[in-house]
Amino acid sequence: MITLPLFGLFIAVASAIPAPQAATAVSTASAAVATCDGNTASDRSVWCDYDTSTNYYTDGPTTGVTVEYWLEVTNTTLAPDGFERIVLAVNGTVPGPTIEANWGDTVVIHVTNSLANNGTGIHWHGVRQNYTNMNDGVPSITQCPIAPGESMSYTWKATQYGTSWYHSHFSLQAWEGVYGPIVIHGPATGDYDDDFGAVVLSDWSHDTVDALYTYAQVSGPPLMTTGLINGLNAYNGSGTRFEGTFESGTSYLLRVVNGAIDTHFKFSIDNHTMTVIAADFVPIVPYATDVLDITMGQRYDVIVTADQDTANYWMRAIPQSECSNNDDSDNIRAIIRYDSSSTDDPTSTAYDYTDDCIDEDVSDLVPFLSQTVVSPTGDDLTVAVGKNANNLFRWQIGTDSFAVEWADPTILQVYNGETSWSDEECVYNLSTSEQWVYWVIETTIPVPHPIHLHGHDFFILASGEFETYSDSVTLNTDNPPRRDVATLPTSGYLVIAFLTDNPGVWLMHCHIGWHTSEGLALQFVERSTEISALVDYDTLNSTCAAWETYTAVSGVEEEDSGV
Ligand SMILES: *[C@@H]1O[C@H](CO)[C@@H](O)[C@H](O)[C@H]1NC(C)=O
Ligand SMILES: *[C@@H]1O[C@H](CO)[C@@H](O)[C@H](O)[C@H]1NC(C)=O
Ligand SMILES: *[C@@H]1O[C@H](CO)[C@@H](O)[C@H](O)[C@H]1NC(C)=O
Ligand SMILES: *[C@@H]1O[C@H](CO)[C@@H](O)[C@H](O)[C@H]1NC(C)=O
Ligand SMILES: *[C@@H]1O[C@H](CO)[C@@H](O)[C@H](O)[C@H]1NC(C)=O
Ligand SMILES: *[C@@H]1O[C@H](CO)[C@@H](O)[C@H](O)[C@H]1NC(C)=O
Ligand SMILES: *[C@@H]1O[C@H](CO)[C@@H](O)[C@H](O)[C@H]1NC(C)=O
Ligand SMILES: *[C@@H]1O[C@H](CO)[C@@H](O)[C@H](O)[C@H]1NC(C)=O
Ligand SMILES: [Cu+2]
């Protein structure tokens, strides 16, 4: 049992917050709310001595509390949608246990790889890893893969608050089931009564993604069988849907995460309007919507009030056919019940929507904490696709398709004084500190890509669909939307900027699993001269040594980009 001490008030999480949803059972959500002095249902903006106006990039609480988790990656058999298959899972469930902490806590997570035939490495998606680059969990970049039978501990401070997820960054393993929610309790820009907890959306196939990768490389994205909400769905007459209970009159904070390999969802709850209060780890000025666009890797915190008739309602995650390929699009559903004793299926009707794959409108995503981008300098990066010598799809962003070695992480190379890089390592050297950097990311290909940046939130200066970037495009530098995943629109452009305030080796990549594996990534070495001092060499060295020992025996081959 983990205890989560709250500024002098100690509560046992296990009794206050329900266990993560097991993939075999129906779960009803409704979590206790963690609060700090001043934080009440009628004013969620306050958090002890801090509040939603605190500049969390430079300031924030230090609780002195360490929350510790032990996670085990295993090979098991589950039937998330009623169909049994091999899955790789964290602690035997999909999603794995929720990592919970308070803003300002130190989080320590011990990860054990109990798989026989894969390495692993867990990335804490969106977590800034402020001066803790080695804990970013990316094999080939910040560590060697954790070999079978081995463990590695990750330590980071929760300098942000809100919702995210952790997932394996080894090969396609995340989408075999190695993921789970992250909840960092803190203030909020909208008021709510209860914390509903995470609502993790994913796509799902009856074949493993490792098996589908061959097809993906030859023919493009495979058709997915269905999708899951919090690891559950009913498919073809079997399986059980996720269920949640609403008490009439109560307002709930739902923490929506898109953990899919290749699906842009529109998320909605029939008859209910959502108030959106955070985009990724960035609190925003609240706005209302009935249907929410959420692409891979993105999160939205939304408040939903149980203000409708006592009935059952569908919660829906609808793959958008413009960019997603799913055989069960109308059936990726969960149930919200006002009367928890009811067992009837809802009869509610979906909101209308237009099938497309664009982000929520930038005019709605206004960060509550205003920040300005000053005199950025940068580069133009083109996203393109081709076939390699073996006639397999390879994507690129910038000059080359990304390919790096599991056994030779960049951070170790920097530690060892390396300063020259091969083309396919796609290294950008950002040596100046506290400088605004921008990248114009462009594509002429009619496929949108969710672009994810490690180690920073980025600022969205401009974007356009079916448009070519030119110097006449106006860049919005005055409190533009800020987050860690944004869509490079279909045949369009995305201009992002970020501040070099976090020394380390960081990845920027497309969050479509197939594309990451096929090379749509780059890395940047930020303030390289400061990196060695941040490295825990013993951990890096022993993880790599164990990986070398494993590969010498298993002969495992790297058939992807290495991330
Ligand atoms: C990030 O780390 C640096 C260096 O340790 C520290 O000065 C800064 O206060 C940290 N930022 C936050 C928000 O904790
Ligand atoms: C996960 O499983 C490990 C044992 O494999 C156990 O020690 C740990 O408490 C579990 N963690 C959670 C959060 O359930
Ligand atoms: C999981 O177990 C299956 C069946 O035993 C095996 O074929 C597969 O290689 C295992 N996967 C990993 C990653 O260990
Ligand atoms: C991981 O294990 C799966 C079997 O579960 C296998 O198909 C796949 O090739 C392995 N991947 C790597 C990179 O070892
Ligand atoms: C659906 O279930 C029926 C009856 O059990 C079975 O015959 C059929 O193969 C299943 N279809 C799919 C697509 O799984
Ligand atoms: C949901 O909204 C529709 C359209 O406004 C309405 O016809 C229906 O009665 C509502 N359902 C319930 C259960 O209130
Ligand atoms: C990055 O560029 C700076 C300035 O030219 C140089 O001192 C440093 O060694 C370079 N770092 C890497 C890792 O290439
Ligand atoms: C680990 O450290 C030892 C001793 O310094 C060194 O011989 C070995 O090459 C290192 N291994 C790796 C993988 O860096
Ligand atoms: Cu992509």
Side-chain angles (χ1 to χ4, degrees):
M1 182 184 303
I2 309 264
T3 53
L4 185 73
L6 295 169
F7 303 89
L9 166 72
F10 284 72
I11 58 158
V13 172
S15 61
I17 296 170
Q21 297 84 31
T24 47
V26 180
S27 311
T28 49
S30 190
V33 183
T35 63
C36 206
D37 283 355
N39 184 276
T40 62
S42 57
D43 184 4
R44 293 282 177 209
S45 70
V46 180
W47 194 258
C48 294
D49 294 335
Y50 298 86
D51 57 42
T52 45
S53 62
T54 302
N55 182 344
Y56 49 87
Y57 295 105
T58 57
D59 196 11
T62 297
T63 62
V65 170
T66 297
V67 256
E68 205 167 3
Y69 282 91
W70 285 261
L71 301 181
E72 186 184 9
V73 183
T74 60
N75 188 347
T76 183
T77 301
L78 291 174
D81 62 344
F83 181 93
E84 216 169 71
R85 53 156 273 196
I86 284 180
V87 304
L88 307 181
V90 180
N91 277 35
T93 63
V94 176
T98 301
I99 301 292
E100 272 189 276
N102 283 326
W103 185 21
D105 286 352
T106 295
V107 182
V108 178
I109 305 148
H110 310 280
V111 175
T112 298
N113 181 4
S114 295
L115 303 172
N117 301 321
N118 270 184
T120 197
I122 306 291
H123 171 58
W124 321 95
H125 181 110
V127 171
R128 187 176 161 200
Q129 299 296 355
N130 181 45
Y131 283 75
T132 54
N133 182 226
M134 248 198 75
N135 298 276
D136 202 36
V138 189
S140 312
I141 309 295
T142 58
Q143 63 172 90
C144 287
I146 305 170
E150 299 293 319
S151 301
M152 179 176 156
S153 301
Y154 297 88
T155 302
W156 42 269
K157 188 179 172 191
T159 62
Q160 306 135 291
Y161 53 88
T163 304
S164 198
W165 61 311
Y166 59 89
H167 62 81
S168 172
H169 224 298
F170 177 80
S171 189
L172 294 169
Q173 195 177 74
W175 301 283
E176 304 292 18
V178 182
Y179 65 87
I182 297 176
V183 170
I184 310 294
H185 297 284
T189 58
D191 298 332
Y192 56 88
D193 297 316
D194 281 352
D195 192 335
F196 186 88
V199 177
V200 186
L201 317 177
S202 62
D203 45 18
W204 191 247
S205 173
H206 290 172
D207 297 316
T208 66
V209 290
D210 283 311
L212 293 175
Y213 185 52
T214 307
Y215 176 94
Q217 289 188 96
V218 173
S219 308
L223 179 68
M224 300 301 281
T225 312
T226 182
L228 308 174
I229 298 182
N230 279 345
L232 295 171
N233 201 13
Y235 179 81
N236 193 26
S238 57
T240 317
R241 297 181 197 277
F242 174 79
E243 296 187 8
T245 307
F246 275 7
E247 198 169 308
S248 195
T250 301
S251 55
Y252 296 91
L253 174 64
L254 277 69
R255 302 163 175 280
V256 189
V257 179
N258 184 346
I261 190 166
D262 194 6
T263 302
H264 178 114
F265 288 112
K266 289 203 196 267
F267 174 81
S268 59
I269 302 172
D270 295 351
N271 290 59
H272 292 77
T273 297
M274 298 175 269
T275 301
V276 186
I277 62 162
D280 301 344
F281 269 136
V282 177
I284 61 171
V285 176
Y287 73 94
T289 189
D290 295 332
V291 178
L292 182 75
D293 273 280
I294 182 165
T295 195
M296 290 145 271
Q298 290 184 330
R299 296 85 64 203
Y300 284 103
D301 287 350
V302 303
I303 296 169
V304 181
T305 300
D307 57 3
Q308 296 296 304
D309 292 347
T310 296
N312 302 311
Y313 298 90
W314 292 119
M315 175 188 283
R316 302 171 192 265
I318 307 177
Q320 297 302 289
S321 66
E322 186 201 345
C323 67
S324 315
N325 202 6
N326 199 292
D327 203 25
D328 202 25
S329 289
D330 188 40
N331 182 48
I332 305 168
R333 302 187 197 177
I335 300 173
I336 294 294
R337 300 189 186 285
Y338 279 52
D339 173 0
S340 61
S341 67
S342 169
T343 54
D344 296 338
D345 270 355
T347 55
S348 59
T349 308
Y351 285 109
D352 289 338
Y353 65 90
T354 304
D355 186 297
D356 59 18
C357 300
I358 52 169
D359 282 338
E360 289 288 288
D361 201 289
V362 293
S363 65
D364 285 327
L365 302 177
V366 180
F368 186 83
L369 170 73
S370 181
Q371 299 269 286
T372 305
V373 177
V374 184
S375 317
T377 60
D379 272 314
D380 224 310
L381 305 171
T382 300
V383 170
V385 67
K387 292 240 170 151
N388 70 5
N390 298 320
N391 216 26
L392 302 173
F393 279 124
R394 285 294 174 269
W395 285 87
Q396 69 184 54
I397 179 168
T399 50
D400 226 307
S401 188
F402 192 73
V404 289
E405 301 288 327
W406 286 325
D408 193 17
T410 314
I411 196 171
L412 181 58
Q413 297 184 52
V414 171
Y415 182 89
N416 288 328
E418 188 61 70
T419 54
S420 69
W421 312 96
S422 70
D423 290 348
E424 55 190 18
E425 285 175 292
C426 304
V427 172
Y428 289 74
N429 180 359
L430 307 179
S431 56
T432 310
S433 89
E434 303 298 317
Q435 183 177 49
W436 287 100
V437 172
Y438 75 81
W439 274 320
V440 175
I441 306 169
E442 291 188 78
T443 189
T444 55
I445 298 166
V447 177
H449 303 271
I451 302 294
H452 174 50
L453 186 72
H454 289 219
H456 311 74
D457 286 332
F458 57 65
F459 293 61
I460 302 169
L461 304 188
S463 71
E465 194 183 27
F466 299 113
E467 270 180 68
T468 307
Y469 179 78
S470 76
D471 288 344
S472 62
V473 167
T474 308
L475 299 181
N476 177 14
T477 53
D478 181 19
N479 198 31
R482 192 169 79 224
R483 59 189 319 168
D484 58 66
V485 184
T487 297
L488 165 62
T490 302
S491 307
Y493 62 86
L494 172 71
V495 186
I496 60 161
F498 61 96
L499 187 64
T500 55
D501 59 358
N502 197 5
V505 185
W506 308 107
L507 200 61
M508 183 171 80
H509 65 100
C510 171
H511 223 287
I512 295 174
W514 317 118
H515 293 181
T516 318
S517 285
E518 290 163 0
L520 212 174
L522 61 74
Q523 57 182 325
F524 53 100
V525 181
E526 180 175 343
R527 298 161 60 169
S528 62
T529 56
E530 295 169 64
I531 293 174
S532 289
L534 305 174
V535 167
D536 165 5
Y537 182 73
D538 288 346
T539 297
L540 198 53
N541 179 282
S542 62
T543 307
C544 287
W547 179 251
E548 278 173 17
T549 304
Y550 165 68
T551 51
V553 176
S554 70
V556 61
E557 271 188 49
E558 190 179 314
E559 289 170 352
D560 60 23
S561 64
V563 294

